[in-house]
């Protein structure tokens, strides 16, 4: 008789997958908490707790639906701590005649599972994870023969193909992208909506993790774990977002405010990345809310949100599968710097970095513009090696799974891919940060000062970056204006800026 074992990875918690629609006596599912996955990066403690708790809730749900489930906990004595070793033991022990898995999202795990299949004498099969709008190869096919990978054209094609925000063959309201309306700073006394947080008690899982020597970072409140840990809570968070945050999502998408850790962002990336909810249902929910409340939710708010999901998220996944594994070692600027120590503590006098890193350690979360224009911006200006900053991003965020982390870090943020994802590096001096945030007013450093005592480090590092990389960026039409300013600057000013940058780079751990 055929006996099948099906592997479910920690980021494959999709209860609506066709696998689970019928229960068969001959099929057993396995989920495992293993050291190979807790240790390939130094994860935030909340990420490990969140994934384990969500995996346990998922296993319970499967059992309640009459599926046969084997769940290997971290401290089980028979846990061999890797996918292949545990699977091998189970296959021998239970005499399974067939092994099946859903296509992993991470290249590393994909290789492990493929190699494992090669080692087996029983039948094997891989199925789609039924989560994304696109297949692994769809973006590659779309851009076949093209020299550039412009996200906007991919986004439009996705909108057409999946009939999202379309009126016949045209985009609703006659325009594809309303980004120009989405760059507002928060008014000074604005009090953003308080974020919905959950008060999950995760003390049991947290204790089990603490009993091991797994190295983690960040803090956690084990009686009040803020993240959704099952589908019901994920849907609750989505409801909260569309009710409370969507009306201002686009307007303040790029805004930053001290001590306000999520503003009008959805915080559904963790739920989506482990597949407790799908991008389709997120878009449908947001769109139907907009249809119900057109007077409260302006179209630009909705379009901005939809673009992040059917546009950027699918685009990053496509780039990942097109360019891996080479992508992981790209370093266009040949940056070799070390990550400043304070990235792991938040112990810096730079207010923007202090605030954004502290909230990262406290919640395992920072919103997009903090990741891009505060932490990413500084790392690039400081010439940090992409592997160093990559390991940081892969560890510190709840939603950090490599396919979406590495493309954002090496591509969008560090320009380490030389322009596959972005058309120019995302760097700025203090003026942009001040324009979009309320950080600078209470900072030790002075935003308008470029050299000398208390000069904001972003200012001199910014010009130093352009100077150092002129051979690679000087001809880029999108930054020609900056080079014109630099070339016309008086030579004493240039020398002073470069000297200041050099001083800061030499004292980077004391900033
Ligand atoms: P919202 O602002 O509410 O946006 C809604 C959703 O859109 C997100 O949940 C996410 O699924 C999607 N989205 C938005 N921007 C992007 C993007 N650039 N790429 C892919 N999806 C996007 N996102 C991750 O999911 N995991 C990561 O590890 C990750 N690392 C990043 C590293 C850097 C350096 C940068 C600049 C961005 C990174 N992002 C990552 C993208 C983005 O910052 C997060 O998806 C977002 O902040 C998650 O918070 P949210 O759910 O509140 O998003
Ligand atoms: C991130 C993570 C962690 C910390 N632990 C586990 C685990 O113990 N078991 C598991 O199946 N998955 C875990 N994950 C998520 C995996 O790393 C993820 O499944 C792969 O990155 C594939 O995308
Ligand atoms: Fe950041 Fe400079 Fe502003 Fe301080 S002055 S908050 S370091 S940009």
């Amino acid at each position: 008789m055929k006996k099948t074992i099906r592997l479910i990875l920690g980021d494959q918690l999709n209860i609506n997958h066709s696998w689970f629609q019928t229960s068969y006596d001959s099929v057993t599912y396995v989920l495992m908490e293993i050291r190979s996955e807790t240790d390939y990066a130094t994860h935030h403690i909340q990420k490990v707790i969140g994934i384990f708790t969500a995996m346990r809730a998922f296993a319970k749900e499967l059992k309640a639906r009459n599926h046969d489930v084997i769940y290997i906990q971290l401290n089980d004595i028979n846990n061999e701590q890797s996918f292949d070793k545990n699977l091998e033991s189970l296959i021998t022990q239970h005499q399974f005649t067939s092994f099946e898995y859903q296509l992993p999202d991470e290249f590393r795990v994909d290789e492990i599972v493929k190699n494992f299949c090669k080692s087996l004498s029983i039948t094997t099969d891989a199925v789609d994870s039924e989560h994304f709008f696109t297949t692994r190869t769809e973006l590659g096919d779309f851009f076949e023969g093209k020299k550039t990978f412009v996200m906007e054209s991919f986004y439009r094609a996705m909108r057409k193909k999946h009939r999202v925000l379309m009126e016949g063959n045209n985009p609703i309201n006659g325009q594809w992208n309303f980004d120009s309306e989405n760059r507002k700073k928060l008014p000074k006394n604005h009090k953003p909506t308080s974020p919905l947080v959950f008060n999950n008690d995760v003390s049991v899982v947290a204790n089990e993790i603490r009993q091991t020597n797994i190295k983690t970072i960040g803090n956690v409140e084990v009686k009040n774990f803020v993240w959704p840990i099952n589908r019901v809570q994920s849907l609750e968070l989505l409801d909260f977002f569309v009710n409370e945050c969507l009306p201002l999502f686009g307007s303040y998408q790029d805004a930053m405010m001290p001590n306000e850790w999520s503003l009008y962002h959805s915080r559904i990336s963790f739920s989506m990345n482990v597949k407790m909810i799908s991008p389709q249902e997120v878009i449908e929910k947001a769109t139907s809310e907009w249809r119900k409340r057109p007077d409260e939710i302006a179209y630009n708010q909705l379009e901005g949100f939809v673009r992040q999901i059917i546009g950027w998220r699918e685009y990053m996944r496509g780039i990942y599968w097109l360019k891996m594994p080479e992508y992981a070692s790209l370093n266009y600027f040949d940056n070799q710097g070390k990550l400043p120590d304070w990235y792991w503590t938040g112990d810096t006098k730079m207010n923007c970095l202090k605030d954004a890193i502290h909230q990262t350690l406290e919640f395992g979360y920072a919103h997009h513009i903090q990741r891009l224009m505060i932490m990413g911006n500084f790392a690039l200006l400081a010439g940090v090696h992409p592997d160093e900053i990559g390991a940081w991003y892969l560890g510190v965020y709840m939603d950090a799974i490599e396919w979406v982390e590495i493309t954002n870090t090496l591509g969008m943020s560090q320009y380490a891919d030389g322009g596959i994802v972005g058309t120019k590096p995302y760097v700025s001096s203090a003026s942009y940060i001040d324009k979009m945030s309320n950080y600078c007013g209470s900072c030790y450093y002075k935003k308008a000062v470029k050299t000398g005592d208390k000069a904001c480090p972003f200012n001199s590092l910014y010009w130093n970056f352009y100077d150092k990389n002129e051979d690679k960026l000087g001809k880029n039409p999108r930054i020609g204006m900056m080079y014109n300013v630099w070339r016309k600057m008086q030579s004493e000013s240039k020398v002073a800026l470069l000297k200041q940058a050099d001083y800061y780079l030499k004292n980077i751990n004391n900033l």
Side-chain angles (χ1 to χ4, degrees):
M1 193 189 100
K2 189 175 175 192
K3 265 185 91 180
T4 302
I5 181 164
R6 286 177 170 172
L7 173 66
I8 303 170
L9 299 173
D11 63 350
Q12 295 181 333
L13 311 181
N14 174 8
I15 199 69
N16 292 323
H17 192 279
S18 53
W19 264 6
F20 311 122
Q21 304 320 307
T22 322
S23 71
Y24 301 97
D25 290 345
S26 58
V27 175
T28 301
Y29 293 97
V30 61
L31 294 98
M32 47 184 99
E33 298 170 359
I34 46 180
R35 292 301 295 265
S36 65
E37 298 311 297
T38 58
D39 294 8
Y40 71 83
T42 306
H43 302 286
H44 198 295
I45 180 69
Q46 293 186 35
K47 181 178 168 192
V48 184
I49 291 177
I51 288 181
F52 284 8
T53 313
M55 285 169 68
R56 290 181 187 194
F58 191 74
K60 206 167 152 194
E61 177 72 31
L62 287 181
K63 284 181 190 161
R65 294 180 185 212
N66 285 326
H67 294 289
D68 191 17
V69 181
I70 296 174
Y71 192 93
I72 305 178
Q73 292 200 354
L74 186 65
N75 300 334
D76 284 353
I77 53 182
N78 294 325
N79 188 344
E80 297 188 57
Q81 305 295 350
S82 74
F83 290 123
D84 43 3
K85 289 207 181 107
N86 278 334
L87 285 167
E88 209 176 300
S89 300
L90 290 173
I91 291 170
T92 314
Q93 200 185 327
H94 298 270
Q95 299 181 337
F96 289 109
T97 60
S98 162
F99 167 65
E100 295 176 1
Y101 65 101
Q102 296 178 22
L103 288 175
D105 286 330
E106 192 185 333
F107 189 86
R108 175 185 63 89
V109 179
D110 197 50
E111 292 289 297
I112 294 173
V113 184
K114 276 197 303 204
N115 287 333
F116 174 67
C117 286
K118 280 190 205 143
S119 75
L120 290 176
S121 52
I122 61 174
T123 59
T124 65
D125 195 18
V127 300
D128 196 88
S129 63
E130 300 174 13
H131 172 82
F132 292 98
F133 282 94
T134 46
T135 64
R136 280 183 181 177
T137 53
E138 201 167 330
L139 175 135
D141 296 341
F142 178 77
F143 286 110
E144 173 124 52
K146 304 251 167 41
K147 286 208 181 87
T148 53
F149 301 86
V150 180
M151 199 294 284
E152 184 66 24
S153 58
F154 176 76
Y155 166 57
R156 292 179 188 187
M158 288 296 105
R159 291 257 306 264
K160 282 189 204 154
K161 179 173 173 187
H162 297 280
R163 311 287 321 145
V164 173
L165 306 186
M166 296 294 291
E167 258 166 357
N169 287 329
N170 299 314
I172 291 184
N173 288 340
Q175 197 179 309
W176 290 100
N177 183 318
F178 286 75
D179 214 20
S180 56
E181 294 175 29
N182 290 359
R183 291 185 194 132
K184 298 193 175 77
K185 181 175 179 161
L186 282 157
K188 211 165 182 176
N189 295 319
H190 181 92
K191 182 70 198 139
T193 309
S194 299
L196 170 70
V197 292
F198 297 92
N199 296 310
N200 291 308
D201 184 343
V202 294
S203 38
V204 173
V205 177
N207 274 339
E208 288 173 22
I209 295 168
R210 288 214 178 100
Q211 281 158 15
T212 67
N213 56 352
I214 295 173
K215 194 173 163 216
T216 60
I217 42 176
N219 315 314
V220 61
E221 290 220 25
V222 293
K223 299 274 184 201
N224 294 297
F225 187 73
V226 299
W227 293 99
I229 49 164
N230 53 37
R231 180 167 163 80
V232 171
Q233 290 185 352
S234 300
L235 290 171
E236 223 179 297
L237 186 60
L238 176 59
D239 265 352
F240 172 82
F241 169 73
V242 297
N243 289 329
E244 306 290 332
C245 304
L246 185 56
L248 291 176
F249 173 82
S251 304
Y252 298 130
Q253 198 180 345
D254 287 359
M256 296 172 280
M257 197 176 233
N259 305 314
E260 294 291 345
W261 64 285
S262 83
L263 297 171
Y264 294 97
H265 293 271
S266 66
R267 289 176 293 118
I268 53 166
S269 48
F270 171 66
S271 294
M272 265 204 291
N273 291 357
V274 301
K275 306 186 182 59
M276 293 189 288
I277 50 174
S278 74
Q280 287 87 344
E281 67 191 321
V282 170
I283 288 180
E284 274 161 26
K285 178 83 194 169
T287 307
S288 78
E289 197 63 25
W290 166 72
R291 287 193 201 284
K292 272 191 245 155
R293 297 157 60 201
D295 296 340
E296 285 166 71
I297 306 172
Y299 182 70
N300 66 300
Q301 318 287 353
L302 175 72
E303 187 280 320
F305 181 69
V306 165
R307 180 163 16 95
Q308 304 312 312
I309 294 171
I310 202 173
W312 280 110
R313 189 166 185 267
E314 297 288 327
Y315 174 84
M316 291 307 201
R317 165 178 155 82
I319 294 284
Y320 182 79
W321 284 106
L322 183 67
K323 298 290 179 186
M324 281 296 281
E326 297 76 23
Y327 202 83
S329 48
L330 297 177
N331 185 0
Y332 182 66
F333 294 123
D334 194 26
N335 282 333
Q336 301 296 331
K338 274 190 68 61
L339 191 68
D341 296 343
W342 42 260
Y343 266 74
W344 302 100
T345 61
D347 193 7
T348 165
K349 298 189 282 301
M350 289 184 279
N351 206 29
C352 49
L353 279 150
K354 180 164 61 186
D355 181 79
I357 294 174
H358 274 150
Q359 75 161 70
T360 297
L361 297 174
E362 196 174 341
F363 298 110
Y365 180 86
H367 57 78
H368 185 68
I369 220 70
Q370 292 177 307
R371 296 187 203 194
L372 185 66
M373 295 311 293
I374 305 294
M375 280 76 82
N377 183 5
F378 188 88
L380 181 52
L381 293 181
V384 172
H385 194 292
D387 287 352
E388 290 256 322
I389 185 69
W392 187 82
Y393 279 111
L394 187 58
V396 294
Y397 292 115
M398 283 302 288
D399 53 30
I401 306 284
E402 194 191 65
W403 65 269
V404 56
E405 176 279 321
I406 204 169
T407 41
N408 269 292
T409 305
L410 266 55
M412 186 185 284
S413 163
Q414 300 298 294
Y415 204 75
D417 65 4
I420 295 172
V421 163
T423 49
K424 69 177 175 92
Y426 280 102
V427 286
S428 83
S429 63
S431 70
Y432 171 85
I433 296 174
D434 187 46
K435 191 170 116 204
M436 296 313 301
S437 79
N438 304 308
Y439 284 137
C440 299
S442 47
C443 184
Y444 167 88
Y445 293 102
K446 294 197 164 62
K447 65 183 183 197
V449 179
K450 295 185 176 60
T451 56
D453 196 27
K454 295 196 175 176
C456 168
F458 279 91
N459 294 335
S460 51
L461 292 176
Y462 177 73
W463 289 114
N464 179 65
F465 168 82
Y466 279 127
D467 182 60
K468 194 177 70 171
N469 295 305
E470 189 163 2
D471 57 333
K472 295 201 166 90
L473 298 174
K475 294 202 177 77
N476 183 329
R478 292 207 60 201
I479 32 188
M481 216 173 74
M482 293 324 297
Y483 275 107
N484 283 342
V485 175
W486 180 238
R487 283 173 201 134
K488 283 185 194 148
M489 206 182 282
Q490 294 206 327
S491 66
E492 308 90 86
S493 307
K494 283 182 168 181
V495 169
L497 277 165
L498 297 180
K499 204 171 141 205
Q500 183 73 43
D502 186 55
Y503 172 79
Y504 279 151
L505 289 174
K506 286 193 174 122
N507 292 280
I508 202 154
N509 281 320
N510 301 321
L511 296 181

